[in-house]
Amino acid sequence: MVLRRFLTALALAAIGCCWLAARAPAARAEPYGQFYRPQDTWNVLETKYFRIYYTQDTPKSAAYLRTLADSTFERLNQFYGYQPPTKIRVIIVGYTTFSNGFADSDHDRITIFTSTPDFHSRSRVPWFDNVFTHELAHILSLNTATHWWKRVPLVLGTGLARFQQAQTLIKLPIYGRNFPHWFAEGVAQFDTSLLGRDAFDENRGAFQRAAYEDRLMFPLEKLPFFGGEQWYNTGLSFLMYLEDRFGTGTVHRLFKDTGEHFDYLFDELFPRVLGIPLADLERDFRIVVAKRFDDHFAAVSGGRYDGKPLRFEHATAKYRDLEPEQRDQMREGFLGMPLRYLDGKLFFRQVGVVTYGDFSAKDGTLTNVKPLSPGSVVAPNSSDSYFVLKPERDDNPLIPTFFRPEFESQMLVLADTDGNTRTLLRESRLSEIDTCAARSELAGIYDDGDGSVKLALYKLSGFGTKAVAVRRDTLRFPLNELPFDEVRSPRYGPDCKKLYFSRRIGHDHDLFAYDLTTGALETIASEPAFELYPDPVRDGVYYVSSRDGTMNVYFKPYDDTAPRLVTQAITGHHHPIDTPDALVFGRLYGTGFQMHTQRHDEAPPPAAMIAVAEKDSPAPKPPLEGLLEDAYGYNPVSPKNLMPPSLVPLIDVEYDSARSWDGAVRIQAGVELYMQDEIARHVLLMRGYTGDQNSFLLDYDNSMLPVSFRVRAGWNDARGLWVYGGTGGRYEQITNDRWGFLWGSLRLPLNLFYTVSAVAETIRDVGVTTGARARQFDLGDPAYGRELFGGVLTYDGLDRRDPAFRERDINKRGYRQFTLAGYYGLERVHSTLARQDSTLRAGATPFFRGELNYSEFLALPALADGWFDQSLQFDLTLGYISADLDFFPFYGGGRLYSQAAPEYNASVGFSGYDFGSLRGETLANVGVRYRGPLARNLGWNIGPFFLNDVYFQVFTSWGNIWGYDPTGRRQRPFVDPASNGRYVLGDVGADLRLGHFIQQVESNVGTTLRLVYRLVPFSTCSDGSRNRSCIGPNGERGFMFYFIVGGGF
Amino acid sequence: MVGTASRRSGWLGRRVVALAIVLGVTCPAHAQTGPYFEPQSLDPAGYELRVSADYHDASRSDFTRPIFLMAQGLSRLHARQLAVTFDLRLSITPSLALQIVLPWLVRDVAAEGVNLVVSADQSLPPRSWTLSSWGLGDPTLAVGYRFWRAMPWSAYAELGATIPIDDNPGAASLPQRVPLGTGQHELFAGIGATLDRPVALSLNYRIGYSPGEHAAYLVRRVANQSYTSGALGAFAHHRFNAAGELALSKLFSVRLAPSLTFMQVPLLIERGGSRQLIHEQVAVELDLAAAVRLRLGDAHRLELRGSLPLVAATDLDPFYPIVIPARGVGIAWFFVGS
C-alpha cells in the first residue's frame, strides 16, 4: 500500500516536472559540473593517449587538440615517465565565456573552458597550446610526485563529544598530496616553458617587479594563504632559479623524490634532495630578484618616464605612504584602468564599475568622480548616454549577484549619467566595444566559445538617442577567418574610416587597421613582440609594445615614420588613453593596475631612430578538416566514460555522555566512494561505516534528462549494551537499534536561481531490540514511520560549483537563499507501541507539513580602509505541521553531528538549548548574525596547521516551537505558551571563528568556538509540570559551549 | 574468524589434492587473510574487490561438550551456510593498504534432540526443528603495511578488528534463529612474508584477541520471566596460514593453502566468577584449501575453490553453529583496479 502510494506520488511528480519542462525557457549557460544543457550533443574523440569530450559548440578546439595532444604528452612525459592507467580525458566546455583550464590529477582529467583570455600577466604563446600543456604538466608532475595512491586523496578522521552543556566536533583530514600551490603551479609553468609554450617573459618580469617594489612579494611560507597569480609567478621564477643553481633536471628530481617519500611537512623535501633548507634557498633567490629589479630600474631612467599616479579627489592617503599590508587591504581605492576620454571626461574602470570624472592634466587629479554603471568597458552613444558591457544577471536589484565571474558573457546596456540603464543585448558574447556615430555601428570582440575571439560589427538604429538599438540581423565578421583567432581592442579612428585593433599573429600580437570602406587591412606595427591597445588620435596611434622587453607606450605617426618611445615602465604600462594635455595609462602595481598620467611635454626626448625588427612568418596551424570523422557519440553509462572512483577512508569516534542506552562511546570506520561519468550526467556517492554503529548511505543523482532525479537511501544499525540496576544488582542487555530511509526527488532548474523539485521520502524506524528477543518490527511494519510527498522551491543566489568559488570571497558579496516546501505526509505508529503507551496514536495519521528557510547575507561596507570587512546575516525559519505527531515533528536545540548520521542534520535549532528539548508542530525562528575580523592575513603556520584569519561573530535567535497541550488543544504561536512554558525563547551568543587549513591544501577547514547564553529559560516541561529534573539545564539561564574543528570558515 | 572449527574428515594427502584438482577446485585459505597476503598484491598501488560465494556444510553429533547457543539435549546439529562476501582491499600508499570485508550470510540449521526419558521404560521420541536466518555477518576492518620489499621477497605486518553485529537468537529460551555472529570483537595483529617467483608462496602468522563481552545468545535468568545478557571471558587464537600458487599457463594456475589454528576456548562469565564450559582449553584445527584461478584479462580473475578440514575442532567448539566450519566449495570473482 505504502509502496503504491509512493510510486503514485513519484509518477505525479514526474508528470508535473515534465509539464514544467515543456514550459521552461530555453536553457542558457548552466553551472559548471552539472553540464546540464539539453541542447548539447557530446562526442568522444580518441587519440593514442587521450579521450577528448566535446560538443557541437567546440569542434575546432577538439580537432586542434587532436593535433596537439599526443606529441605534447610524449615530449612532457620524457621528464616523468608517468604511465596513466587509462587514457587521459580532456573535457572541452565552450558554452561559457569563462576562461581557464583545470587538471584533476587524481583522475587524469583535464577541463578546458575554450574562451581565450585577455591577459596582462601571462605568456605571449597562443593560449590554447599553453593551457593544455600546463594542465597536462599538472597531470604528469603531480602524479609523479604523489606517494599515496591517487584514488585516495585523503583519510578523514571525525570525532564528536557531547556533554550536557558542551559539544565538540572535529573533522581532521590527512591529505595524500601535500604541495603548496606555488610548487604545483610553478612546475606546470616550468614544464610548459621547456616546450616553448610559456616563459618568464616581459609580463612575468613586470609582475615580479611590481610585487617586489610594493614589498608584496610574499614569502613562500605565506603563499599557502594568499598568492593568486604569485603562485604562478613566484613558483616559476623560484623553480627556474633552482634549475639554474643546481643544474638541469633539479626540478624534476624534486618531484620524483616527492613521489618516493611522503612529507607531512612539505619543507622537509628540500634538505633531503638539495641539502639546503627551503628558507636558505629562498633568501638567496630574493637576492637575485632584488638585483633584477635594480638593473631594470637603472635601465628605465630611474622611473623618470613612468608617469605619475593620478590622484583621486578626496583621497585620504597616498599609496606609497602605506605599509605593504595596508596597500593590499586598501587596494580597491587605488585601482583604476583608463577606458576612454569622451566629452571632456575620463572614463575608467574601478573594481567592476565604469566610472568617470574630470581629469586635470596640469595637477594630475581626477575630480567630480561619478559611477556610470557596473561594467568593464564603455563606448559613446551621446553626451549623456554610453554603451557599457556589464556582467549578466547584475541588472535586477531584487536578485542579488549570482557569483560566477565571467561564466555568463556580458550583456550590452545603454547607461546614462542619471544612473539609468537599458539592456540592448543579453549574453552578448562581447568583451570589448567601440562605436562610430557616422556609421551607426558598433564594433566588438566576439567570443565564439570555440577558441576564437573575433572582430564583430553590428549596425545600430537610433544612434545618439536614448532609443538606440542593436540590429541583431546585421552581425558580421569582417576579417578573414584565422584558426583560433584572437582580436582585441577595437577602436575607430577619429574620422571613422578605419578600425584599429590588435590581432595575434604567431607568438605575439600585432596592430592593424581595417579600412571600413575598402576592406583593406593595413599593418600598423608587427614586431616580434606584443603590440597592444591601439588608441588612434589625429596624427597617429598610441599603443603598447614590449619590443625592448618592457611593456612601454609608443606612438606611431600615420606618416609611416618609425614609432617613438613615450613611456618607460618600472613595471608595465597598459591601455594608454590620450587626452588633450596628457597621456593616461594603466600602470602595474603589486595590487593591480592604477592610473598614471604623463603630460605630453614630459615625454622622453626623441631617441635615435628606432629600428623596427622584422618578424618571421608564423608557422601555419595544421589543417583541421577531417580530424573528427572517427568521433563517436557519448554514452554516459559506458564503463570507459565513467570516471575512476575516489575513495576516502573514514574513522569516526563519538562520545555522548547522555547516551546510556547503547553506550556513551561509539567507534566506527568506513569508506566513502564517489564516482561519476566524465561530464557529470550522473553521480554516485556511497558511504559505509561499520563499528559500534553500522551505517550505509547511497546517493545517486542523474541529469541526463531535462528533469533531473536524485535518490538517496540509508540504513543504520547500532549495537550497544544497556546497563541498568535491578533487584539484586546490576544487569546488562545487548541492544540493537535499526532504522532506514529512502528519499527521491525530481528536479527542474527554472533558471540560474530557481529550482523546483518534487520530493518523496520515507523513514522507517525498526526500533530497539534488547537481549535475546525476537524483533517485533521490520521495514514493512515499522515501529515508527513517516512518509512525505511534496514540492520544494529553492532559490540559490550563488553557485558553489563554480571553479573559481571561494567561500571567503562570496561572503564579501552577499547572497540570498531560501527553500519553500510543502508536503503531504503520513505518520505511522505501530499498534504494539500504542498498546504500551496510551499517548501514542496507532496507525497512519495524515498531515500537511510546510517549511520556509530564508537567509539573507549582506556584505556591509568595509571600514578601517577596507580592513574591517563586516557582514550581516538574517535567517528566518517557519514551519507548520497540521497534526500532533509523535515521530519527527520539528525539533530545536543545538546539536553537532559527525558524518555517521547525515540524514538527521536537517533539524532546526536554537543553539542555546539542548537538542530535542524543543519540539512541536509550529515553528518560528528569527536569527541575526554579525561578523567582522579580529585579525586578518596572519599567515601563521605551526607544522601542518596554517592560520590566516580570526573573525568574530555575535548572534541572537528568537522564536519558539509550539505543539499541543496535554488536553489536545493546539498551541497558538505567540498567543499561547509553548510546552516549555514560554511564549518566546531567545538566546545570544558569540563565536570566535578561525580561518585555517591543514597541510598545504588550501581547503575550507575552519574552527569555531561558540558560546551561547540562554536568555529565556524553560519554565515547564513538555507535560506542563515544573519538575526541574525534567527541564534540565534548559530551565535556567546559562551557557552552551561548542567547539567545532573542521566545520568550515 | 573467531573459533573457526572444522570436522575431522579422515581424508589426507594426495587423495585430497587429486580430488580437488579433478573437481576443478583449488583452495585459498578460507581463513581471512590480509591485503598483502598474496605475492604482488596491490602492486602497483590500486584496489582489489573480491566477491565470493561459498557454500559450507557441517554436522555435529557429539554433544558431550555443550555449545553456547542451545542448552537442550541434542543428538545432531546440521548447519548449512551460503556466504556472499565482499572483500575490498584498497591502497593508501604503495606500502599501506586498507581492507574491508563484509559477509552476507544465509544460514539453515537442522537440530535433532534426544529422547526424553519419562521413566525407566518410557521415553518420548526426539524432537526435531530447524532454524534459519540471513543478514550481514561480522565485518572485518584491517590495515596492512608492507615494510620490506626486495624482489622477489616482501614482508608485511597487519592489524585489524572483526566487529560483532548480530548475535540475537530471537528468544531467551529455545532459539528462534541462528545468530550470524559471535557478538565478540576480535582484535588481531599479524606478520607475513611472500615470495613472488618461481612459485608464489605466502606465509602468515596472526594472533587474535577477544576481550570478552556480553552476547545476546548467552542468556542469564535473573528472576521469573526476567533475563539478561550473559558474557564471555577474554580469549585468543593463533593462526598460521600458508599458500602456494603455481601458474600452469598465462591463464590458469592452481593453489594450495593450509592453515593451522590454535583456539582458546573462552570462559563463561557468571555472577561472582567465571566457569570453564568444557574440559579442553585449546582446540586445534588444520584446514586445507585448494583453488583453481582463471585469469580473465588484466583486471578480472575467477576462482573456483573448495576446502576440507584435515584436523577438525567441530566437536569441541562451543560457538558451533554460530561459527560454521569452512567445509565446502565456492566461487570468487576478483577485480583489480588502479
Side-chain angles (χ1 to χ4, degrees):
Chain A
M1 187 66 179
V2 172
L3 180 65
R4 194 185 308 157
R5 283 183 184 162
F6 180 76
L7 292 174
T8 305
L10 276 180
L12 289 172
I15 292 167
C17 277
C18 289
W19 176 79
L20 284 166
R23 295 170 54 84
R28 285 197 280 212
E30 292 294 340
Y32 167 78
Q34 190 171 1
F35 294 103
Y36 163 53
R37 295 208 322 164
Q39 66 269 42
D40 281 346
T41 302
W42 284 89
N43 294 301
V44 188
L45 190 63
E46 306 244 10
T47 73
K48 185 176 178 184
Y49 304 109
F50 293 88
R51 191 171 290 130
I52 299 164
Y53 298 88
Y54 69 100
T55 70
Q56 73 282 355
D57 291 337
T58 56
K60 289 178 189 165
S61 299
Y64 181 60
L65 186 56
R66 180 176 203 161
T67 68
L68 190 70
D70 286 342
S71 60
T72 304
F73 176 86
E74 288 173 353
R75 290 174 65 192
L76 269 184
N77 211 23
Q78 288 175 357
F79 310 135
Y80 297 106
Y82 171 63
Q83 292 184 323
T86 58
K87 288 186 178 182
I88 297 169
R89 284 89 60 212
V90 185
I91 321 296
I92 299 175
V93 184
Y95 60 80
T96 78
T97 49
F98 188 70
S99 176
N100 213 329
F102 300 95
D104 173 5
S105 52
D106 286 346
H107 298 100
D108 294 329
R109 189 168 180 268
I110 294 169
T111 305
I112 296 176
F113 294 84
T114 49
S115 290
T116 307
D118 201 355
F119 49 79
H120 57 260
S121 57
R122 288 293 178 89
S123 164
R124 278 188 271 146
V125 178
W127 176 77
F128 198 98
D129 300 39
N130 176 292
V131 73
F132 172 71
T133 310
H134 180 103
E135 304 309 335
L136 182 59
H138 276 315
I139 301 281
L140 304 182
S141 62
L142 293 181
N143 280 302
T144 301
T146 300
H147 184 63
W148 281 28
W149 185 45
K150 64 181 182 179
R151 299 273 178 270
V152 180
L154 74 156
V155 174
L156 181 64
T158 57
L160 182 67
R162 291 198 194 103
F163 304 91
Q164 198 170 36
Q165 289 180 270
Q167 297 182 45
T168 295
L169 170 66
I170 296 174
K171 291 185 179 177
L172 185 66
I174 300 174
Y175 296 102
R177 283 188 180 147
N178 190 24
F179 320 127
H181 280 293
W182 67 262
F183 190 64
E185 297 298 350
V187 78
Q189 297 218 286
F190 179 82
D191 286 346
T192 308
S193 72
L194 293 181
L195 268 61
R197 294 173 186 167
D198 205 340
F200 199 80
D201 58 13
E202 56 276 272
N203 281 315
R204 293 239 160 266
F207 196 90
Q208 188 174 71
R209 289 195 297 274
Y212 175 82
E213 178 190 41
D214 284 348
R215 289 185 285 151
L216 286 169
M217 189 175 152
F218 302 127
L220 293 175
E221 65 177 15
K222 297 260 185 188
L223 284 184
F225 301 96
F226 8 86
E229 193 58 36
Q230 285 200 33
W231 294 332
Y232 301 82
N233 221 56
T234 304
L236 174 59
S237 183
F238 182 63
L239 291 180
M240 291 176 85
Y241 164 76
L242 294 182
E243 190 85 351
D244 285 344
R245 178 171 170 180
F246 295 97
T248 302
T250 300
V251 171
H252 296 131
R253 193 150 53 93
L254 283 169
F255 272 76
K256 286 176 180 168
D257 188 87
T258 310
E260 292 162 6
H261 303 88
F262 175 67
D263 292 314
Y264 192 62
L265 301 177
F266 170 74
D267 290 5
E268 291 173 358
L269 167 69
F270 293 88
R272 188 174 64 242
V273 179
L274 303 178
I276 301 174
L278 179 60
D280 293 353
L281 293 168
E282 186 183 359
R283 183 196 60 217
D284 297 345
F285 165 66
R286 284 179 171 270
I287 292 171
V288 172
V289 172
K291 182 174 185 314
R292 224 182 264 167
F293 181 87
D294 292 342
D295 291 348
H296 179 83
F297 191 75
V300 293
S301 314
R304 189 182 304 164
Y305 306 110
D306 193 37
K308 295 184 176 60
L310 194 155
R311 283 182 290 116
F312 288 86
E313 184 185 30
H314 308 311
T316 55
K318 286 185 177 177
Y319 185 79
R320 287 284 173 230
D321 295 341
L322 301 176
E323 290 298 311
E325 280 197 1
Q326 290 176 306
R327 291 174 184 164
D328 198 33
Q329 287 157 14
M330 299 167 65
R331 63 203 303 262
E332 293 189 351
F334 293 95
L335 293 182
M337 181 64 86
L339 297 174
R340 300 299 295 268
Y341 186 75
L342 301 168
D343 309 314
K345 295 182 176 61
L346 179 68
F347 287 75
F348 60 100
R349 181 176 64 240
Q350 188 172 41
V351 199
V353 179
V354 174
T355 309
Y356 62 96
D358 299 328
F359 168 59
S360 166
K362 184 180 175 186
D363 49 11
T365 58
L366 200 60
T367 56
N368 200 22
V369 174
K370 293 176 183 172
L372 178 67
S373 164
S376 59
V377 293
V378 64
N381 177 53
S382 67
S383 61
D384 62 354
S385 66
Y386 302 88
F387 298 95
V388 172
L389 285 177
K390 64 183 288 190
E392 185 75 16
R393 307 286 174 185
D394 208 10
D395 55 333
N396 187 343
L398 293 176
I399 298 176
T401 308
F402 195 79
F403 185 68
R404 201 162 63 175
E406 301 169 14
F407 215 82
E408 287 78 37
S409 68
Q410 299 183 96
M411 59 182 173
L412 180 70
V413 301
L414 186 73
D416 64 29
T417 50
D418 294 331
N420 304 309
T421 60
R422 181 167 62 85
T423 303
L424 301 174
L425 280 179
R426 297 208 73 124
E427 290 234 32
S428 67
R429 303 203 73 89
L430 298 176
S431 55
E432 295 169 276
I433 53 171
D434 195 11
T435 52
C436 168
R439 296 176 57 82
S440 283
E441 190 174 76
L442 181 143
I445 300 305
Y446 184 92
D447 180 356
D448 76 349
D450 196 13
S452 289
V453 280
K454 310 172 180 178
L455 180 64
L457 297 176
Y458 275 110
K459 285 294 179 188
L460 303 170
S461 62
F463 191 93
T465 70
K466 291 198 172 180
V468 66
V470 177
R471 291 169 54 194
R472 294 163 191 253
D473 58 334
T474 63
L475 173 65
R476 67 186 182 98
F477 303 98
L479 302 182
N480 59 316
E481 187 161 330
L482 292 180
F484 295 89
D485 203 358
E486 192 176 341
V487 181
R488 302 284 181 193
S489 311
R491 292 292 301 276
Y492 286 98
D495 57 4
C496 233
K497 290 181 178 171
K498 291 180 180 174
L499 182 61
Y500 295 79
F501 56 87
S502 69
R503 190 179 203 186
R504 168 178 295 287
I505 302 293
H507 277 203
D508 60 67
H509 292 225
D510 299 331
L511 291 187
F512 300 93
Y514 175 75
D515 190 311
L516 292 159
T517 309
T518 65
L521 207 57
E522 177 188 352
T523 301
I524 305 297
S526 63
E527 294 191 70
F530 275 131
E531 278 98 21
L532 297 166
Y533 319 124
D535 186 38
V537 296
R538 187 173 52 83
D539 51 352
V541 184
Y542 286 99
Y543 66 98
V544 165
S545 173
S546 63
R547 59 188 313 282
D548 65 354
T550 306
M551 301 290 274
N552 293 325
V553 179
Y554 289 79
F555 181 77
K556 172 83 166 60
Y558 293 131
D559 61 9
D560 212 24
T561 56
R564 68 177 165 83
L565 181 69
V566 177
T567 68
Q568 283 187 311
I570 293 176
T571 58
H573 292 164
H574 293 243
H575 289 281
I577 298 295
D578 186 36
T579 72
D581 300 316
L583 195 70
V584 183
F585 47 87
R587 194 269 199 188
L588 186 64
Y589 280 76
T591 51
F593 281 102
Q594 297 181 19
M595 288 189 288
H596 271 209
T597 175
Q598 178 175 283
R599 290 203 316 268
H600 290 317
D601 58 4
E602 291 175 336
M609 181 69 70
I610 288 178
V612 175
E614 289 296 320
K615 179 175 173 177
D616 294 336
S617 297
K621 295 267 186 198
L624 304 180
E625 290 76 22
L627 292 175
L628 302 180
E629 285 177 355
D630 54 349
Y632 57 89
Y634 177 77
N635 178 358
V637 296
S638 166
K640 73 180 172 185
N641 292 331
L642 295 180
M643 213 167 75
S646 291
L647 295 142
V648 177
L650 308 160
I651 299 165
D652 182 60
V653 180
E654 289 183 30
Y655 176 83
D656 190 337
S657 65
R659 189 168 56 210
S660 60
W661 179 258
D662 52 2
V665 178
R666 283 179 177 171
I667 301 174
Q668 292 86 228
V671 68
E672 183 175 276
L673 179 147
Y674 176 88
M675 60 189 303
Q676 63 171 60
D677 70 307
E678 294 291 354
I679 56 173
R681 302 296 293 274
H682 57 146
V683 175
L684 175 70
L685 172 82
M686 288 197 292
R687 183 190 300 135
Y689 280 97
T690 188
D692 290 324
Q693 173 167 314
N694 300 282
S695 68
F696 179 75
L697 173 73
L698 182 145
D699 191 339
Y700 176 75
D701 192 290
N702 186 302
S703 298
M704 295 181 193
L705 303 169
V707 176
S708 306
F709 72 89
R710 185 175 180 182
V711 178
R712 281 191 290 166
W715 177 249
N716 290 269
D717 181 315
R719 177 187 162 88
L721 186 69
W722 177 33
V723 181
Y724 58 99
T727 51
R730 178 172 168 272
Y731 302 106
E732 301 89 16
Q733 291 278 16
I734 298 287
T735 64
N736 187 245
D737 182 10
R738 294 178 179 176
W739 61 278
F741 73 94
L742 180 64
W743 178 95
S745 87
L746 297 168
R747 184 180 69 243
L748 178 68
L750 299 178
N751 59 29
L752 283 176
F753 300 96
Y754 290 96
T755 301
V756 63
S757 309
V759 176
E761 176 193 82
T762 179
I763 297 177
R764 303 287 171 115
D765 185 347
V766 180
V768 180
T769 302
T770 57
R773 289 183 175 83
R775 187 167 287 282
Q776 289 180 289
F777 314 107
D778 56 32
L779 283 175
D781 196 15
Y784 292 99
R786 184 190 73 176
E787 274 84 56
L788 287 180
F789 313 101
V792 181
L793 177 69
T794 58
Y795 174 93
D796 222 341
L798 59 92
D799 182 6
R800 287 188 164 86
R801 292 164 300 186
D802 184 335
F805 175 80
R806 293 181 77 214
E807 194 76 36
R808 280 192 57 195
D809 291 341
I810 187 66
N811 286 349
K812 293 175 182 172
R813 294 175 62 96
Y815 63 92
R816 175 185 300 163
Q817 54 191 21
F818 73 77
T819 303
L820 177 65
Y823 303 98
Y824 168 76
L826 280 175
E827 180 193 60
R828 298 179 184 281
V829 178
H830 199 279
S831 57
T832 304
L833 296 175
R835 281 197 296 274
Q836 296 164 356
D837 182 349
S838 61
T839 65
L840 297 176
R841 184 176 46 243
T845 302
F847 63 91
F848 167 79
R849 178 182 173 119
E851 294 174 59
L852 171 68
N853 292 286
Y854 180 94
S855 290
E856 183 85 40
F857 196 107
L858 303 169
L860 302 178
L863 305 175
D865 297 326
W867 181 85
F868 197 87
D869 56 346
Q870 54 186 339
S871 56
L872 189 67
Q873 185 172 338
F874 169 78
D875 299 304
L876 171 68
T877 308
L878 298 173
Y880 174 79
I881 294 173
S882 64
D884 184 7
L885 299 187
D886 296 302
F887 188 56
F888 279 114
F890 295 118
Y891 291 103
R895 187 173 176 87
L896 302 178
Y897 293 94
S898 65
Q899 293 199 345
E903 51 284 339
Y904 267 139
N905 288 1
S907 300
V908 299
F910 296 76
S911 56
Y913 301 83
D914 268 348
F915 173 75
S917 58
L918 287 84
R919 51 173 292 160
E921 287 74 21
T922 310
L923 161 69
N925 180 246
V926 176
V928 179
R929 313 181 202 190
Y930 173 74
R931 284 192 273 269
L934 295 173
R936 286 182 53 186
N937 295 339
L938 292 173
W940 293 349
N941 75 298
I942 304 170
F945 297 97
F946 292 78
L947 175 64
N948 197 29
D949 296 312
V950 180
Y951 276 60
F952 72 90
Q953 174 172 276
V954 290
F955 60 93
T956 183
S957 68
W958 293 87
N960 212 334
I961 302 180
W962 293 266
Y964 286 78
D965 288 340
T967 61
R969 190 181 69 88
R970 186 171 189 121
Q971 295 160 348
R972 293 166 296 176
F974 304 108
V975 177
D976 298 326
S979 300
N980 47 57
R982 299 293 187 183
Y983 293 92
V984 173
L985 296 173
D987 54 20
V988 294
D991 288 354
L992 196 62
R993 298 160 62 86
L994 311 180
H996 70 92
F997 49 91
I998 291 174
Q999 293 174 270
Q1000 297 276 353
V1001 182
E1002 195 215 1
S1003 53
N1004 189 23
V1005 179
T1007 289
T1008 299
L1009 290 93
R1010 173 168 295 172
L1011 185 64
V1012 199
Y1013 186 72
R1014 284 183 301 280
L1015 279 175
V1016 184
F1018 289 9
S1019 61
T1020 60
C1021 291
S1022 57
D1023 60 1
S1025 71
R1026 292 180 174 273
N1027 182 346
R1028 283 285 170 195
S1029 64
C1030 163
I1031 298 172
N1034 300 304
E1036 295 178 0
R1037 289 191 178 87
F1039 288 99
M1040 292 284 280
F1041 302 91
Y1042 298 85
F1043 179 50
I1044 307 164
V1045 179
F1049 179 65
Chain B
M1 295 290 288
V2 176
T4 298
S6 56
R7 189 164 185 254
R8 188 179 296 114
S9 72
W11 286 39
L12 282 172
R14 281 185 290 176
R15 292 175 67 187
V16 173
V17 178
L19 178 64
I21 293 174
V22 167
L23 292 174
V25 174
T26 331
C27 286
H30 170 76
Q32 269 172 19
T33 52
Y36 291 128
F37 178 73
E38 295 182 27
Q40 299 183 47
S41 52
L42 301 178
D43 188 11
Y47 67 96
E48 185 174 334
L49 176 65
R50 299 181 170 200
V51 181
S52 59
D54 291 278
Y55 174 76
H56 298 141
D57 185 306
S59 182
R60 174 169 166 169
S61 56
D62 179 358
F63 292 94
T64 53
R65 298 167 184 84
I67 59 174
F68 290 135
L69 184 62
M70 297 180 192
Q72 295 79 8
L74 297 169
S75 61
R76 188 165 182 274
L77 202 55
H78 181 205
R80 296 181 297 170
Q81 170 178 279
L82 177 66
V84 177
T85 306
F86 299 87
D87 181 347
L88 177 68
R89 293 129 187 250
L90 180 70
S91 293
I92 295 175
T93 75
S95 305
L96 184 68
L98 175 73
Q99 183 185 29
I100 302 168
V101 183
L102 291 175
W104 184 265
L105 306 175
V106 180
R107 284 184 171 176
D108 176 78
V109 170
E112 190 173 315
V114 293
N115 291 348
L116 179 62
V117 178
V118 179
S119 63
D121 55 355
Q122 282 186 309
S123 65
L124 293 174
R127 188 186 154 207
S128 298
W129 68 97
T130 59
L131 306 173
S132 63
S133 56
W134 56 271
L136 187 65
D138 294 349
T140 297
L141 289 171
V143 290
Y145 179 62
R146 186 153 48 199
F147 57 82
W148 181 66
R149 185 87 166 115
M151 297 287 278
W153 296 95
S154 76
Y156 63 91
E158 58 193 21
L159 192 66
T162 298
I163 298 142
I165 290 187
D166 176 13
D167 60 351
N168 188 351
S173 51
L174 188 66
Q176 300 298 306
R177 62 190 294 275
V178 196
L180 298 174
T182 62
Q184 307 295 299
H185 282 88
E186 185 195 49
L187 311 173
F188 61 80
I191 191 166
T194 65
L195 173 68
D196 296 357
R197 59 178 187 274
V199 177
L201 292 176
S202 305
L203 191 64
N204 169 270
Y205 164 70
R206 182 183 278 188
I207 178 171
Y209 174 75
S210 293
E213 293 165 275
H214 288 79
Y217 55 82
L218 298 172
V219 180
R220 288 191 193 126
R221 181 174 175 276
V222 293
N224 273 345
Q225 300 299 314
S226 181
Y227 303 92
T228 64
S229 300
L232 295 175
F235 61 101
H237 77 244
H238 305 267
R239 174 173 289 121
F240 298 89
N241 290 312
E245 182 172 348
L246 179 63
L248 302 179
S249 72
K250 284 186 178 177
L251 300 178
F252 181 79
S253 63
V254 294
R255 194 159 188 278
L256 280 177
S259 73
L260 175 66
T261 303
F262 299 91
M263 184 190 74
Q264 186 181 1
V265 178
L267 299 176
L268 194 61
I269 305 298
E270 300 281 355
R271 294 267 171 217
S274 59
R275 180 163 65 91
Q276 194 168 324
L277 196 66
I278 60 173
H279 176 68
E280 292 83 357
Q281 295 185 0
V282 175
V284 180
E285 63 183 35
L286 175 62
D287 290 337
L288 180 65
V292 172
R293 283 187 177 173
L294 300 173
R295 192 184 180 90
L296 308 174
D298 291 337
H300 304 271
R301 287 179 200 162
L302 188 69
E303 179 178 281
L304 303 171
R305 64 196 186 191
S307 58
L308 282 173
L310 303 180
V311 176
T314 311
D315 291 344
L316 298 179
D317 187 359
F319 285 109
Y320 182 83
I322 299 170
V323 174
I324 298 174
R327 191 181 77 165
V329 294
I331 185 169
W333 168 70
F334 301 173
F335 179 77
V336 181
S338 57

